[in-house]
Each structure stands twice: as structure tokens, then as C-alpha cells.
Amino acid sequence: MKTLLSTCVSVPVLLFSSMLIAQDSTEAPACEVKDMTSVSYMENLQPNSDIDVGEIYKAKTEELIAFAEKYNLEDFQIVNQDASVSANCCGNYGSQINMNYTVTYKPSYSAFTAFHKYGGTGMVSTYRIGLENCPTDK
């Protein structure tokens, strides 16, 4: 009888203690900050040329990845990219290919300067995401 009683008492205690552990293991959301940068590139295409715009787009994508490696952009990832080709307007300049990328990486104020000075971009903008669970000093 003593064994049965101790078993009956210990099961609820174990259940109760595991519920306490489960409640204690809930943590505040993590502070996961990233910089998100948008860059745009434009290249003029010769009038009436038979240029492979897909190859230009691919080469620019590879250049962007190499840029991230060169300037040590940690956790670099292309999250969005698009390209468009404009029609030949007025016969003077030929067509243009416009390529736009949105990338993320670990926060780095110097990366914005690197994109501006050495990225060869026509436009660059950056913003920081994931700050909602962080102290205000990030």
C-alpha cells in the first residue's frame, strides 16, 4: 500500500514539475537584426544589337555576390531580384537593362558606405529590420 500511495503522489508531482519547467522555458523573442539594402544597376545596350540580356543579368548577380564576399557582408543573402529591358527610345541610346536587388546581411554601417563608394550602383538604400525585440541601442 505504501508503494501504491507513493506512486500516486509522485506522478502528479512529476506532471506538475514538468509543467513548471515548460512555463519557465518560454523566452522573450530573440533580437535578430539584419540590414536590408536595395541596389539598382543600369546598363545601356547598343542600338540594334543582339546582346544576351540574360547573360548581363547573370553576370551582375555574380558581381554582387563577389562584392559581398570582398567586403565581408556576413550572412549575405539575395532576397529579391528583378530585371527589365526598356525599348529603344529615339534611336540615340539603344535599350537599357535595369537590374534591382534586395539583399540582407548582419548589421554593418560600413556596408552602406561600401555599396555607395564601390558597389557600382545607380542607387542604394538601406534599412535595418528586426529591431522590435531589441534594446534601443542597436
Side-chain angles (χ1 to χ4, degrees), residues 25 30 68 76 88 120 130:
S25 67
F76 177 83
N88 186 349

Side-chain angles (χ1 to χ4, degrees), residues 76-133:
F76 177 83
Q77 182 176 10
I78 297 173
V79 294
N80 188 25
Q81 65 186 70
D82 68 85
S84 61
V85 177
S86 66
N88 186 349
C89 174
C90 312
N92 295 333
Y93 301 105
S95 299
Q96 292 179 333
I97 181 170
N98 296 288
M99 298 157 284
N100 306 293
Y101 299 86
T102 303
V103 300
T104 59
Y105 45 89
K106 282 190 177 179
S108 169
Y109 289 108
S110 62
F112 186 53
T113 301
F115 272 112
H116 170 68
K117 286 185 172 183
Y118 313 113
T121 64
M123 184 280 302
V124 61
S125 67
T126 191
Y127 53 99
R128 196 152 282 178
I129 60 173
L131 295 168
E132 59 274 4
N133 297 315

Side-chain angles (χ1 to χ4, degrees), residues 30 37 39-40 47 50 53 58 60 67 81 92 97 108 117:
T37 298
V39 292
S40 296
D50 192 22
V53 293
K58 179 182 174 187
K60 189 56 73 177
F67 174 87
Q81 65 186 70
N92 295 333
I97 181 170
S108 169
K117 286 185 172 183

